[in-house]
Amino acid sequence: MSTSKTPKPAQSGKGVAGTNAPNLDPLLSAAWLYYEDQLTQSDIAEVLGVSRASVINYLHEARRLGVVKITLDSEHYTAMRLAQRLSQHYGLERCIVIPDDQGRRPAEVRLGEAGAQLLSSLVKTGDMLGVSWGRTVLALSQAISPQRVPGLSVIQITGSMLATFEFSPELCTSNIADRFGARCINLHAPALVSRAEIRELLYKEPALIPQLELLQTCTKIVFGLGHVGRDSTIFASGAVTPDAIQPYLAQGAVGVIAGRYFNAAGQPILGPLDERMIGLTLDEIDRIPMRICVTGGVAKAPAIRAALQGRHATMLVTDERAAQALVDSL
C-alpha cells in the first residue's frame, strides 16, 4: 500500500475519505497511516473523513485485535537498576520493572500488559502452560495479541470458584488459550469442597484423575500473588472469608499463590483449607521449570519478598514502587 505523507483534503460532497484514502476498512487504513506512514491522528482524520476521536478508537481496536502488535524489548527493562538488584539478590532468570505512572491507569492492567508481552516471548511449541487466577492474570489474558503457538496446551491449575466469576480460573485459562490458539484444559472440579473426605473421593474419581495428572506436566506457569490484608483480592472475590484464614494468619501467613499460603520466609503454611482444596500445591508449583509471577503494589511488597525468598518464582513482572520497596528492604 502506498500513501502520501501529506494528506489531501476530503472531497466535497463525499462523507468518506480524501482522494488518497485507500478503499479499505478504516481501522486498517488508520493503523497503516499512523504506524507506517507516521501521520498524526489529526491528519488521518482528514484523510479518512472522520473525527479524531474515531481515529483514536480505530488505533485502539487495531491493537486489541492484533492488527498492530507493539512490542517493548523486555531486555531493556531487565537492565534497569531495580530489576538488576532484584535479579541478583533473588536469583531470578528475568525481572521486569515497569515505570510508575502516578496512578493514571489501573495497576493490574499495566502489569497484565507487561506480563502478556513477556509470556508471548516465552511460550513455545509443545509447552504445557499452567494458569492461576486473579485480576492481574485476567488483565494479562486480555492483553495478549492473538497469535498461534502450535501444540501449546493451557491448563487451569486450581478448581473453579463461582465467587470469582469476574476473574475466575476458567476465564483466565480460556482467554489465554484463545489468544494463543491453544488447547484449553479446564479443571472440572470446585476449588474448595465442603469436607476433606469429598476431596479425597474426587482425587480418586476416574473422570478427574487424567486432569489432575496433567497438572503435573506443566512446563511453565503464570500466576498473580495476593497478600492477606483486608483489601486483598482473596477477600474481595468472596472465595474465602477472613475467619477461614485465621489459622493461617496465626502461623504467620503473609501471602497467597493459587490459594496456597506462605509465611515471611516463603515456606508453605498448611491449614484446614488445604484439606478441602483441589489444585496444585506450592510444592508442586515449585517443581514447574519456569514460574512467572506478575504482581505489584507497595502493599504486596512483603508478600512478594516472601515469595521470592521461597523461590516460588523464577521470573517477576512488577512495578517501580513495589520494586523500590523490595530493594529498600535488602
Side-chain angles (χ1 to χ4, degrees):
M1 182 191 308
S2 177
T3 304
S4 171
K5 297 283 278 191
T6 304
K8 299 178 182 178
Q11 294 179 342
S12 60
K14 293 185 179 181
V16 291
T19 57
N20 66 326
N23 186 24
L24 295 174
D25 183 315
L27 182 149
L28 300 178
S29 299
W32 186 277
L33 294 169
Y34 188 74
Y35 291 104
E36 291 295 333
D37 290 329
Q38 299 184 12
L39 270 65
T40 68
Q41 294 171 356
S42 296
D43 286 344
I44 296 169
E46 185 178 354
V47 170
L48 299 182
V50 298
S51 67
R52 183 171 177 273
S54 294
V55 172
I56 293 172
N57 288 334
Y58 291 152
L59 297 176
H60 174 78
E61 280 297 287
R63 290 183 60 183
R64 187 184 70 83
L65 296 173
V67 173
V68 173
K69 297 179 181 179
I70 298 175
T71 302
L72 297 175
D73 189 348
S74 62
E75 291 295 336
H76 292 286
Y77 288 85
T78 61
M80 293 175 63
R81 178 183 62 85
L82 293 174
Q84 285 184 327
R85 289 286 305 277
L86 294 177
S87 293
Q88 292 167 1
H89 186 81
Y90 293 109
L92 295 169
E93 295 176 17
R94 188 83 65 87
C95 179
I96 295 174
V97 177
I98 63 173
D100 183 32
D101 75 338
Q102 301 294 316
R104 286 172 171 78
R105 297 177 65 218
E108 65 270 15
V109 172
R110 301 182 69 238
L111 288 165
E113 290 170 348
Q117 293 206 26
L118 176 62
L119 183 63
S120 296
S121 72
L122 295 173
V123 290
K124 306 295 183 184
T125 297
D127 267 339
M128 304 289 282
L129 175 65
V131 176
S132 184
W133 61 278
R135 290 191 176 95
T136 303
V137 177
L138 178 62
L140 180 152
S141 76
Q142 295 169 330
I144 296 170
S145 296
Q147 56 199 278
R148 181 164 181 77
V149 182
L152 173 66
S153 295
V154 182
I155 307 174
Q156 178 181 327
I157 68 158
T158 66
S160 300
M161 290 175 279
L162 180 61
T164 64
F165 69 94
E166 291 181 346
F167 40 86
S168 65
E170 53 268 48
L171 180 57
C172 294
T173 304
S174 61
N175 277 355
I176 292 176
D178 179 66
R179 293 303 179 99
F180 284 132
R183 177 176 64 150
C184 181
I185 303 172
N186 290 119
L187 183 53
H188 299 298
L192 199 63
V193 294
S194 58
R195 300 192 307 276
E197 52 267 33
I198 294 178
R199 176 185 180 276
E200 293 176 7
L201 287 172
L202 285 173
Y203 268 71
K204 297 175 183 177
E205 170 56 46
L208 193 57
I209 288 174
Q211 296 179 56
L212 295 170
E213 290 176 343
L214 276 175
L215 296 182
Q216 307 301 323
T217 68
C218 290
T219 56
K220 297 179 174 71
I221 186 172
V222 60
F223 57 88
L225 182 150
H227 62 102
V228 295
R230 290 286 176 165
D231 58 341
S232 172
T233 299
I234 196 71
F235 295 134
S237 69
V240 298
T241 64
D243 289 342
I245 72 161
Q246 282 305 314
Y248 297 89
L249 295 178
Q251 297 180 71
V254 299
V256 56
I257 294 172
R260 308 293 183 170
Y261 294 87
F262 51 90
N263 63 19
Q267 298 170 333
I269 294 176
L270 298 180
L273 292 177
D274 295 273
E275 299 171 359
R276 301 189 285 120
M277 192 172 297
I278 296 175
L280 289 180
T281 66
L282 265 183
D283 287 339
E284 290 170 334
I285 289 173
D286 290 347
R287 289 198 286 269
I288 298 172
M290 184 180 291
R291 305 182 296 279
I292 306 163
C293 179
V294 185
T295 188
V298 174
K300 289 187 180 180
I304 300 171
R305 182 184 309 113
L308 296 179
Q309 288 177 341
R311 298 293 190 264
H312 301 309
T314 61
M315 297 187 181
L316 174 68
V317 178
T318 192
D319 56 40
E320 185 177 358
R321 291 190 177 187
Q324 187 64 62
L326 291 169
V327 167
D328 288 345
S329 68
L330 296 181

